Amino acid sequence: MIVRLLNFVVIGALVLAAAYVYRIKFDSTVQAERLAKLRTEVRRERDSIAALRAKWGELDNPERIEQLAKRFLKLKPVEPTQFDTLDHLPDPPPDYMRPGAKDPIGGMIEGLDEPVGVTGSIAEPNPAGAPNQAAPSPAAASPDAGASNTGAAAQ
Amino acid sequence: MSAVADTLPSAAAEPWTRRLKRSLLYGGDVDRGAKARARVGLAIVAFIAVYGIIAARLVLFGIVADSRAPHRVVTGDAVATARPDILDRNGEVLATDVRVPSLYGEPRRIIDCDEAVELLTADLPDLDAHETRERLCSKRGFVWLKRDITPEQQREIYRQGLPGIGFLNENKRDYPNGPEVSHLIGHVNIDNQGIAGIEKWLDSHGLAALHMAGLATDRLQTPVQLALDLRVQHALRDELVAARAKYHAIAAAGVVLDVRTGEIVAMVSEPDYDPNNPRQALDPSRINRLTTGVYEMGSTFKAFTVAMALDSGKVTLNSSFDARTSLHFGRFEIHDFEAQHRVLTVPEIFTYSSNIGAARIAMAMGVDAHKAFLRKMGQLDRLRTELPESAEPIVPKRWGELNTITIAFGHGLSVAPLQAVMGVAALMNGGILIPPTFLKRTQAEADALGKRVIKPETSAMMRYLMRLNVEKGTARKADVPGYYIGGKTGTADKVVNGRYSKNKVLTDFMAIMPADNPRYLLLIMLDEPQKLPETMNFNTSGWNAVPTGGAVVARIAPLLGIVPRLDLPPADKLILATVRESR
């Protein structure tokens, strides 16, 4: 009797085990397919990253940037005189300000007589008719109001 | 078991025929029970063995299958193998692999090869119809039709649905910066194998072996980082292109070397080529003049002569040499370009670039000492760098006194310009000769490689002379304020048909910046610059190579992080004073 019961238990365990193994097998197939898919995807991504990096290298090429800068920017190359060390800075202004008082740094800048020149970071004021569309060109600034109006209309 | 035991007593009840058979087969006195047990046991062992093998094989499959999977994916494409990316010192891409489709045919599977050729040539106009027909109508299994087609062309051909025509994705080398870094980086052939420059060096350093093993197909290779700075390279090339056009020179070349580590930060040899179109590289006028060409460097070699004399201790900065008349040796006569007709001190010999003075210094030192010094400075042996292209210097076979006299001012010994740069860098950086490299190198690595060739005081005196030459001598046009440049000019008459030409010259300029605390050495070299009205009809170095050098320094110094210092004292106060103090 015991033996027969044992047999049934073993058969039941066998069926369960078979079902379990089947499930594992099925899962692993699914996972393997997913893995292969992800691998191809990773490869494709890597390839497109490489293509984009190559493209970026082309766009970021100093030769090209220089041509663009010459065409669209009104900046000059940096001069050695434009560099200075931090210990040449003047003492900081007093760190308190009364309400309503004038801005000390603003006052210092206004106090300068000489006009601010063209440097590596300050562009030349835009002359009329220059092909710089980013800068505002008010019609009043131009001596020939009619011409600049037609220019604005053309834009 | 019990069943077997039950049958035993009834053995006598068997019919006689069966008893006979049994006695014939097994013999009369066999215990069948024991036999049966043994057989069952054998069967158990056999089954266990068979199932064991099956189980073990299953486990093996489970383990091995995983490691094989990526191989199966890769074999579908990638004929031209992958290469590591090449980056500059700031991580900008100089060379990378991109995937491009290539067209192939399988002639055995093609049904109508005439139709196939017709349709393919319609889509790819640059395909040679005759050759394609020959290939497609052959009996071969596989033929390449066209490497590297565009995705649009691929789509068009795919849409025609021709049997026996297919695509493979291949790695193709792409150089996004075009001709900017051509000679240094080299190029690859159609199968992505390096055939020049750093690309070839990569192949000879293990990459080729990886290719053979079929392992270098994936992109996961660590990129190679060069010492090159793309921005400096561009600035140098831009100025050299301008200088070559301005002076109508047949070639212009330049190097920027970090004197502390021996790293080559920029190297240009104009005319150059676009590595994306390597056919241009075959043109002999586009060779890399800095490593594959050898030249008589002219007066820049006086730096070696003077350094040798100062380092020996027999000559000091106050020693003087007779330059009143031309120097006669046998049937040769040596003149000065800017003849002073008086006795010159060592700094004057250097700044007036006196051939007579340099020759007399070398004669005073002797032939053997001169030769030994130049060998120590690496000027007589072939310089090997990562670049596979290198040229052996042309050293006179019998080195007599006349050779020493001419080599003292840079004639009669032809070296690769990069070699001269290495030597002068050792004169500048405190006296350590460091082999130049194109790869990124740390200070510690450089210190381990470097070997002392001259005393630090000699090096300081040489820097003083270089600076003095910019303040008062032949290199005045290179004095960019703020960077404290020192420099030596050189103008060598070119040899035409075995004779020194009067009109064709090679001019060069070595500049050190800053002269008091050297960081970078710059070489500018112009081949056959012409006399121009704006250069006062001179074609010597001071009128072409020196202004070019000044323009290059003004552009690259901010990029190299050299802080400009204005209002520095002249060389005798700043550099020479430190030499005297340390004594």
Side-chain angles (χ1 to χ4, degrees):
Chain A
M1 188 62 208
I2 294 281
V3 173
R4 190 164 293 179
L5 193 69
L6 203 71
N7 281 349
F8 278 119
V9 168
V10 168
I11 289 168
L14 189 73
V15 170
L16 279 179
Y20 184 64
V21 167
Y22 176 75
R23 242 194 73 183
I24 289 178
K25 177 75 187 153
F26 188 75
D27 273 3
S28 81
T29 313
V30 169
Q31 295 288 348
E33 267 167 26
R34 215 177 126 232
L35 183 71
K37 211 162 147 194
L38 284 176
R39 270 218 182 103
T40 12
E41 233 165 85
V42 166
R43 267 163 49 81
R44 200 172 298 149
E45 286 297 317
R46 249 190 229 141
D47 289 346
S48 61
I49 287 170
L52 288 173
R53 265 162 65 91
K55 188 77 198 157
W56 169 246
E58 239 161 74
L59 295 176
D60 198 26
N61 177 6
E63 173 76 36
R64 180 176 170 274
I65 301 285
E66 188 179 316
Q67 295 306 326
L68 290 177
K70 272 188 187 151
R71 228 174 112 193
F72 295 111
L73 293 180
K74 308 209 143 289
L75 299 178
K76 277 185 180 173
V78 185
E79 304 272 335
T81 46
Q82 285 175 278
F83 291 90
D84 214 338
T85 52
L86 282 177
D87 34 299
H88 286 182
L89 276 182
D91 290 333
D95 56 351
Y96 59 85
M97 258 175 72
R98 294 219 180 86
K102 278 181 79 178
D103 179 3
I105 297 177
M108 274 164 66
I109 294 173
E110 274 165 26
L112 293 172
D113 319 332
E114 50 184 299
V116 183
V118 179
T119 69
S121 56
I122 303 173
E124 199 176 305
N126 190 29
N132 190 348
Q133 281 150 24
S137 60
S142 169
D144 189 351
S148 71
N149 275 345
T150 53
Q155 283 175 17
Chain B
M1 294 300 125
S2 60
V4 177
D6 287 345
T7 53
L8 275 179
S10 63
E14 276 179 295
W16 67 274
T17 46
R18 195 175 287 179
R19 224 179 310 159
L20 179 71
K21 250 188 228 165
R22 191 153 56 95
S23 61
L24 280 174
L25 279 172
Y26 311 111
D29 54 348
V30 174
D31 180 359
R32 278 188 70 202
K35 196 114 190 168
R37 266 191 303 263
R39 279 183 196 158
V40 169
L42 189 70
I44 288 172
V45 168
F47 271 94
I48 286 176
V50 168
Y51 279 103
I53 288 167
I54 290 172
R57 197 74 189 112
L58 277 177
V59 170
L60 224 67
F61 275 133
I63 296 165
V64 175
D66 237 350
S67 64
R68 275 193 193 167
H71 280 280
R72 236 173 273 148
V73 177
V74 174
T75 45
D77 49 14
V79 175
T81 37
R83 307 179 64 79
D85 286 0
I86 301 179
L87 309 177
D88 87 337
R89 65 185 304 123
N90 302 315
E92 299 281 343
V93 180
L94 300 178
T96 188
D97 277 347
V98 288
R99 289 249 167 202
V100 290
S102 285
L103 186 69
Y104 70 88
E106 291 171 287
R108 282 187 203 143
R109 293 178 50 201
I110 288 176
I111 298 163
D112 182 354
C113 69
D114 289 318
E115 185 206 9
V117 170
E118 205 168 294
L119 287 172
L120 286 176
T121 44
D123 281 327
L124 303 168
D126 50 340
L127 204 64
D128 181 12
H130 181 72
E131 200 186 326
T132 311
R133 189 185 310 275
E134 214 164 71
R135 284 189 189 175
L136 275 186
C137 304
S138 67
K139 290 275 166 250
R140 279 187 284 172
F142 179 95
V143 286
W144 281 118
L145 295 177
K146 186 157 171 29
R147 311 286 278 267
D148 178 17
I149 59 174
T150 65
E152 291 76 42
Q153 291 172 330
Q154 183 187 19
R155 215 172 302 130
E156 280 303 309
I157 295 167
Y158 185 74
R159 204 170 286 162
Q160 288 169 346
L162 290 166
I165 300 288
F167 308 97
L168 277 183
N169 278 327
E170 286 191 289
N171 284 316
K172 182 177 167 274
R173 205 59 164 161
D174 187 76
Y175 302 95
N177 292 299
E180 300 243 357
V181 255
S182 48
H183 287 115
L184 199 160
I185 209 157
H187 53 268
V188 296
N189 64 7
I190 189 92
D191 288 322
N192 240 15
Q193 289 157 338
I195 49 176
I198 291 289
E199 295 278 26
K200 185 163 184 190
W201 176 83
L202 280 177
D203 272 27
S204 57
H205 279 71
L207 191 63
L210 276 181
H211 283 171
M212 297 292 272
L215 292 173
T217 41
D218 213 344
R219 204 180 280 284
L220 288 172
Q221 298 182 57
T222 45
V224 176
Q225 200 159 30
L226 302 186
L228 182 100
D229 188 323
L230 184 60
R231 303 164 306 166
V232 178
Q233 174 85 7
H234 166 70
L236 179 64
R237 181 170 184 271
D238 201 42
E239 291 296 334
L240 285 174
V241 169
R244 187 175 156 235
K246 183 175 175 189
Y247 303 111
H248 309 293
I250 56 174
V255 183
V256 179
L257 180 89
D258 185 328
V259 295
R260 294 180 185 173
T261 58
E263 292 174 291
I264 293 163
V265 178
M267 183 177 90
V268 178
S269 173
E270 251 281 310
D272 47 17
Y273 64 97
D274 187 347
N276 293 311
N277 181 11
R279 212 164 295 165
Q280 294 175 350
L282 299 176
D283 182 357
S285 72
R286 295 179 195 273
I287 62 157
N288 183 358
R289 282 152 215 274
L290 294 160
T291 58
T292 37
V294 288
Y295 298 92
E296 297 178 316
M297 296 300 286
S299 308
T300 33
F301 249 65
K302 285 173 192 153
F304 292 118
T305 313
V306 172
M308 164 181 67
L310 292 175
D311 200 51
S312 72
K314 292 176 196 158
V315 173
T316 67
L317 285 179
N318 299 321
S319 307
S320 50
F321 291 86
D322 183 6
R324 281 175 298 188
T325 52
S326 303
L327 178 66
H328 292 271
F329 190 90
R331 59 189 175 89
F332 295 95
E333 192 179 353
I334 285 137
H335 303 283
D336 273 355
F337 187 74
E338 284 181 74
Q340 304 294 315
H341 304 297
R342 62 187 170 88
V343 175
L344 297 174
T345 62
V346 170
E348 282 171 331
I349 289 171
F350 198 78
T351 52
Y352 289 123
S353 200
S354 164
N355 294 340
I356 304 167
R360 288 209 190 277
I361 293 177
M363 281 161 82
M365 301 312 298
V367 173
D368 292 335
H370 190 206
K371 205 171 166 181
F373 184 79
L374 288 179
R375 187 168 298 280
K376 188 166 70 171
M377 301 307 290
Q379 302 302 307
L380 304 186
D381 302 303
R382 179 182 283 208
L383 172 67
R384 303 242 179 228
T385 59
E386 288 85 5
L387 292 196
E389 306 91 3
S390 71
E392 185 120 17
I394 303 172
V395 183
K397 286 195 187 72
R398 285 185 60 250
W399 186 314
E401 195 153 37
L402 179 64
N403 300 98
T404 279
I405 288 171
T406 57
I407 290 167
F409 55 86
H411 286 74
L413 172 66
S414 299
V415 297
L418 193 61
Q419 202 163 9
V421 168
M422 171 183 76
V424 175
L427 300 182
M428 293 297 116
N429 67 3
I432 313 284
L433 187 74
I434 306 165
T437 180
F438 292 95
L439 303 179
K440 221 173 173 178
R441 187 191 269 169
T442 62
Q443 186 66 55
E445 286 165 351
D447 292 345
L449 280 170
K451 63 175 194 284
R452 175 160 295 286
V453 285
I454 60 168
K455 298 188 205 96
E457 302 89 64
T458 315
S459 171
M461 282 188 269
M462 288 311 298
R463 291 204 299 273
Y464 158 72
L465 290 176
M466 294 283 262
R467 177 60 196 163
L468 195 70
N469 197 28
V470 170
E471 282 170 7
K472 297 179 183 164
T474 48
R476 285 188 300 272
K477 286 188 168 38
D479 196 6
V480 183
Y483 296 121
Y484 214 67
I485 302 167
K488 181 78 192 95
T489 57
T491 306
D493 294 337
K494 283 185 74 169
V495 177
V496 178
N497 299 329
R499 294 181 150 273
Y500 281 113
S501 161
K502 279 280 148 244
N503 302 317
K504 294 187 173 172
V505 293
L506 178 104
T507 63
D508 53 79
F509 177 50
M510 293 262 191
I512 182 77
M513 61 180 173
D516 56 330
N517 178 23
R519 292 286 311 280
Y520 294 97
L521 182 68
L522 167 74
L523 166 74
I524 300 286
M525 197 173 94
L526 295 172
D527 196 355
E528 289 186 28
Q530 302 298 313
K531 298 173 179 176
L532 299 179
E534 59 259 47
T535 65
M536 309 289 181
N537 275 325
F538 284 114
N539 61 0
T540 50
S541 172
W543 291 95
N544 41 53
V546 171
T548 308
V552 171
V553 169
R555 273 184 79 171
I556 67 173
L559 298 174
L560 293 168
I562 296 176
V563 182
R565 294 160 304 159
L566 297 162
D567 312 322
L568 284 177
D572 47 345
K573 299 230 172 56
L574 190 66
I575 307 176
L576 205 56
T578 57
V579 182
R580 299 227 164 98
E581 271 166 31
S582 65
R583 274 196 182 167

